[in-house]
Amino acid sequence: GLTKPFGGRIARKTMRYLDGHYVNARLTQLASQENMSVCALSRLIKQQTGATFKELVQIKRFSVALRLLRTTSLPVSDVISSVGYDNTSYFHRQFKAKYGMSPAEYRRAYNA
């Protein structure tokens, strides 16, 4: 998770960017928007958030997936693709490691 207190302009910019682009977020795209090198931006993101860009993307995607699992009846495979994963088995492995249950089990537990 996020280890540092959240602060800094780049942290806020990154979170705003991820709100709109989590499905196809690219560090290169954010770097060019900010007129920075990928390396410099990457370092600042890690300093200001305690997480890498890739980790932040995953956190955002998972938070949206959890909401969709709780509030919609979309098939799990549709939830997975709608948050930007094309590899469903990878998503399932990550989800189970993070939450100790499959997406379907999470939905059942939440809606029980």
Side-chain angles (χ1 to χ4, degrees):
L2 304 177
T3 51
K4 294 211 163 79
F6 215 74
R9 189 184 71 79
I10 289 299
R12 288 190 299 277
K13 277 274 172 86
T14 302
M15 297 324 281
R16 265 201 305 277
Y17 171 79
L18 289 178
D19 282 341
H21 300 89
Y22 60 88
V23 173
N24 53 7
R26 297 284 174 268
L27 188 58
T28 50
Q29 187 183 28
L30 184 59
S32 74
Q33 278 179 22
E34 290 302 303
N35 228 350
M36 294 174 77
S37 76
V38 170
C39 286
L41 179 59
S42 187
R43 199 167 47 247
L44 273 176
I45 289 171
K46 179 79 174 165
Q47 276 171 5
Q48 292 185 12
T49 68
T52 65
F53 182 77
K54 190 176 173 183
E55 289 165 341
L56 293 173
V57 171
Q58 188 184 49
I59 290 165
K60 179 65 184 177
R61 286 175 170 180
F62 272 93
S63 75
V64 175
L66 291 174
R67 191 180 72 236
L68 291 172
L69 289 168
R70 288 193 308 264
T71 61
T72 73
S73 55
L74 280 173
V76 171
S77 58
D78 290 2
V79 169
I80 293 169
S81 60
S82 73
V83 298
Y85 285 97
D86 44 16
N87 183 335
T88 55
S89 62
Y90 174 79
F91 180 89
H92 277 275
R93 273 197 313 279
Q94 295 292 314
F95 192 97
K96 197 156 176 110
K98 219 174 177 51
Y99 303 108
M101 61 182 90
S102 74
E105 289 166 337
Y106 174 86
R107 174 178 270 162
R108 281 196 299 276
Y110 191 84
N111 292 311

